[in-house]
Amino acid sequence: MKQGVLMQYFEWYLPSDPHLYQKVKADAQHLFDIGVTALWLPPAFKGIGGTQDVGYGVYDLYDLGEFYQKGTVPTKYGTKDEYLQAIQALQQVGIQVYGDIVLNHKMGADGYEDVKASEVNQHDTYDIERQNEWIQVPTLFTFPNRHQKYSDFTWDWSCFDGIDYDAKTKRHATFLFQDKTWDSQVDNENGNYDYLMGADLDFSNHRVVSELKRWGEWYLDTTHIDGFRLDAVKHINASFYQEWLYHMRQYTHQELFTVGEYWHGDVQKLLQYLTEVNYSLSLFDVPLHYHLYEASRSFGQYDMSQIFNNTLVQKACMNAVTFVDNHDTQPQQGLQSWVLDWFKPLAYALILLRKDGYPCIFYGDYYGIEKPSLSGQNQVIDRLLYLRQYYAYGQQNDYFYDRHIIGWTREAYGLACIMTNQNGGQLYMYVGQQYQNQIFYDYLENVNETVTIDDKGYGLFTVQDGSVSVYIPKK
């Protein structure tokens, strides 16, 4: 059985033509062959930007590329039929599919409503700056071109607790609707970080929660996906997703693996959220991403022995999805924190060849990015995926004693990984007495010299400057 590897199969600047779903379908067998076991597909529903919407400006959750809305039938990634065919193609070769779920907000309303609201300080949303004024807001969602197919639910202002625009005065600010309160189980940045963008869903409204459960049932029945990636969970009442996931799992009688995006560099924030949701889902290891980012840009001064300190994979490995970069961290994005190319092989070795964490590889790292033009590193990632699939098993022995040269071994099939962010050197590491007198070589071909394992099961392994080498037994 393969060790789990998730792949995020999109980046922010993908062109809308050709459709991504067509590429997914054609790529399914290749992805399985290289060792990918699950694919995270982008948000599938119609967004405010039509074919230019990456998927996070959600308009209609029931439109998966089926109705003429926002100037188009297909989404940026294709039609509903293409989406379903892509999912089926992946599952037929043995790859699970996770849907990207965006429930925090809605955008692109079909009509405006007059409502009383208070303007709040954007840096402290508990601080009311202007109280109870009439504003005009885009909060009426009737989806006229869907003609109530699948759902007759109409979203009005009562379904939301705030918004960022008053059409009457053409003023951009953060508004809290009268008789509403921000959700309490959210991140405390900005005082309370319930509000993120668009028309912010009110998760204390029972009608809203019931509709989202009905939509979840419909989405699972329609797509037959295997799990979820949840967007912006730090802005949504923690109790909602615990309840919603329980309902979806009871409905399907399936595990429905779920990973949430709680974007914070402090691991204590992530651990607190996991406690609040009773560890019912996993989270992306944002602290580890920032460690990788800093290490890649520190001109060799980063202490590599501390690379896993205060990360989710260290503190709660069973709930950690490790990653190097994603669509939000790529260049020209709001959370830009791109791990430099020279460090990418080291970073991917750190998430793919160790026993803890569920690693996620990024489309942009594998295939490259169009804007700005960045080359993919599929050759080295393919090799690391091969090593994960066939060699990264068994007892793990860590050698994290030096500030710059670190390494570890896996005993089951013989693997020794050594890397440095500075000058090259050597580590004397134990791979197991069963390998005595066997010859190990660097599968990544960064070091030509081989290593002969001594009678105690140790070898002296070499790494070049700013590089990584992974040694395995010669056949």
Side-chain angles (χ1 to χ4, degrees):
M1 184 175 176
K2 291 183 178 181
Q3 297 197 84
V5 176
L6 171 61
M7 183 176 189
Q8 176 185 356
Y9 203 87
F10 65 100
E11 55 98 357
W12 195 269
Y13 295 108
L14 277 177
S16 57
D17 186 29
H19 289 166
L20 180 70
Y21 298 147
Q22 296 173 354
K23 180 174 181 179
V24 172
K25 182 178 178 181
D27 207 16
Q29 186 62 53
H30 164 251
L31 294 171
F32 177 82
D33 292 342
I34 63 173
V36 172
T37 60
L39 221 64
W40 156 21
L41 290 178
F45 10 85
K46 191 68 58 68
I48 184 175
T51 56
Q52 301 307 308
D53 201 297
V54 176
Y56 298 100
V58 184
Y59 167 65
D60 186 0
L61 291 168
Y62 287 98
D63 185 356
L64 306 180
E66 181 178 2
F67 306 98
Y68 187 79
Q69 300 188 107
K70 301 305 174 186
T72 176
V73 172
T75 67
K76 176 177 183 178
Y77 308 108
T79 65
K80 176 184 177 182
D81 286 344
E82 289 173 329
Y83 181 50
L84 300 181
Q85 289 168 15
I87 293 170
Q88 187 176 33
L90 290 164
Q91 291 173 335
Q92 283 177 345
V93 300
I95 295 177
Q96 290 194 328
V97 181
Y98 303 156
D100 200 329
I101 309 302
V102 187
L103 302 183
N104 177 74
H105 52 271
K106 296 182 79 66
M107 305 176 86
D110 303 300
Y112 290 83
E113 298 176 285
D114 292 323
V115 61
K116 267 192 172 181
S118 298
E119 181 181 340
V120 302
N121 186 328
Q122 293 182 353
H123 303 294
D124 182 359
T125 55
Y126 286 130
D127 178 19
I128 296 176
E129 297 186 335
R130 300 172 65 169
Q131 200 158 18
N132 290 341
E133 57 181 323
W134 283 100
I135 62 174
Q136 190 177 62
V137 290
T139 49
L140 190 62
F141 292 82
T142 58
F143 316 111
N145 285 11
R146 179 156 55 79
H147 304 293
Q148 298 189 335
K149 187 176 182 180
Y150 306 129
S151 173
D152 61 0
F153 190 86
T154 294
W155 296 77
D156 60 27
W157 76 267
S158 69
C159 300
F160 308 102
D161 48 28
I163 204 162
D164 60 353
Y165 183 65
D166 172 19
K168 186 164 63 174
T169 62
K170 296 183 169 45
R171 190 160 95 254
H172 292 275
T174 303
F175 297 97
L176 176 65
F177 296 155
Q178 188 177 41
D179 300 325
K180 297 279 188 172
T181 58
W182 300 121
D183 291 335
S184 58
Q185 281 185 304
V186 296
D187 193 85
N188 63 3
E189 191 177 344
N190 297 335
N192 175 294
Y193 217 172
D194 179 358
Y195 188 80
L196 177 63
M197 64 175 73
D200 189 74
L201 269 64
D202 179 2
F203 292 98
S204 67
N205 184 321
H206 297 301
R207 289 180 59 245
V208 169
V209 173
S210 295
E211 172 62 9
L212 293 179
K213 287 179 180 177
R214 283 194 296 272
W215 172 79
E217 293 173 2
W218 171 85
Y219 182 62
L220 287 166
D221 287 341
T222 301
T223 64
H224 304 292
I225 58 168
D226 305 286
F228 305 113
R229 180 265 183 188
L230 306 180
D231 184 60
V233 297
K234 71 188 258 188
H235 307 281
I236 295 172
N237 221 38
S239 60
F240 165 75
Y241 265 133
Q242 185 178 7
E243 178 184 345
W244 189 82
L245 283 173
Y246 177 80
H247 183 85
M248 295 305 118
R249 287 163 175 157
Q250 290 291 108
Y251 179 74
T252 59
H253 303 290
Q254 293 177 7
E255 177 191 357
L256 295 176
F257 173 83
T258 300
V259 56
E261 178 222 18
Y262 194 113
W263 197 266
H264 209 295
D266 182 354
V267 70
Q268 294 304 320
K269 295 280 190 179
L270 277 60
L271 294 172
Q272 178 182 335
Y273 181 82
L274 287 174
T275 300
E276 289 175 343
V277 298
N278 197 26
Y279 287 80
S280 57
L281 56 100
S282 295
L283 294 175
F284 288 106
D285 196 344
V286 178
L288 177 60
H289 159 73
Y290 279 123
H291 288 197
L292 300 173
Y293 168 72
E294 292 163 11
S296 79
R297 294 172 179 268
S298 67
F299 301 99
Q301 297 308 303
Y302 190 89
D303 185 351
M304 292 290 287
S305 70
Q306 306 298 307
I307 196 90
F308 287 112
N309 273 17
N310 293 313
T311 61
L312 194 61
V313 75
Q314 180 197 59
K315 302 288 187 180
C317 64
M318 297 301 293
N319 295 82
V321 173
T322 54
F323 70 104
V324 178
D325 273 307
N326 67 22
H327 63 292
D328 285 321
T329 70
Q330 68 183 85
Q332 302 181 16
Q333 283 306 294
L335 297 172
Q336 177 177 325
S337 45
W338 187 248
V339 176
L340 293 179
D341 281 356
W342 76 270
F343 195 79
K344 281 277 164 73
L346 287 72
Y348 273 102
L350 285 164
I351 70 169
L352 288 172
L353 302 184
R354 295 179 58 77
K355 64 182 177 65
D356 292 328
Y358 182 6
C360 179
I361 61 178
F362 177 43
Y363 181 102
D365 285 333
Y366 192 84
Y367 290 107
I369 290 177
E370 188 167 288
K371 175 187 173 185
S373 181
L374 294 169
S375 298
Q377 300 208 26
N378 58 302
Q379 291 185 336
V380 69
I381 294 174
D382 278 349
R383 292 195 174 211
L384 292 169
L385 287 170
Y386 172 82
L387 291 166
R388 177 175 178 82
Q389 189 172 341
Y390 294 105
Y391 289 90
Y393 296 89
Q395 174 68 34
Q396 179 174 290
N397 307 299
D398 286 341
Y399 296 84
F400 282 58
Y401 310 126
D402 187 86
R403 285 182 56 85
H404 303 296
I405 300 177
I406 62 170
W408 65 92
T409 65
R410 306 293 300 274
E411 292 187 30
Y413 299 107
L415 178 148
C417 182
I418 178 173
M419 65 178 64
T420 179
N421 65 337
Q422 204 180 77
N423 299 326
Q426 296 178 315
L427 280 179
Y428 188 55
M429 298 190 292
Y430 179 78
V431 293
Q433 280 194 299
Q434 66 270 35
Y435 300 107
Q436 60 181 294
N437 300 321
Q438 287 197 36
I439 296 173
F440 277 51
Y441 73 103
D442 178 12
Y443 185 71
L444 300 185
E445 298 183 329
N446 292 324
V447 173
N448 294 324
E449 295 78 13
T450 59
V451 177
T452 301
I453 307 304
D454 64 23
D455 58 4
K456 295 180 180 179
Y458 285 82
L460 187 61
F461 299 94
T462 300
V463 65
Q464 301 295 336
D465 295 353
S467 182
V468 56
S469 289
V470 185
Y471 293 82
I472 57 175
K474 274 196 168 183
K475 298 295 186 184

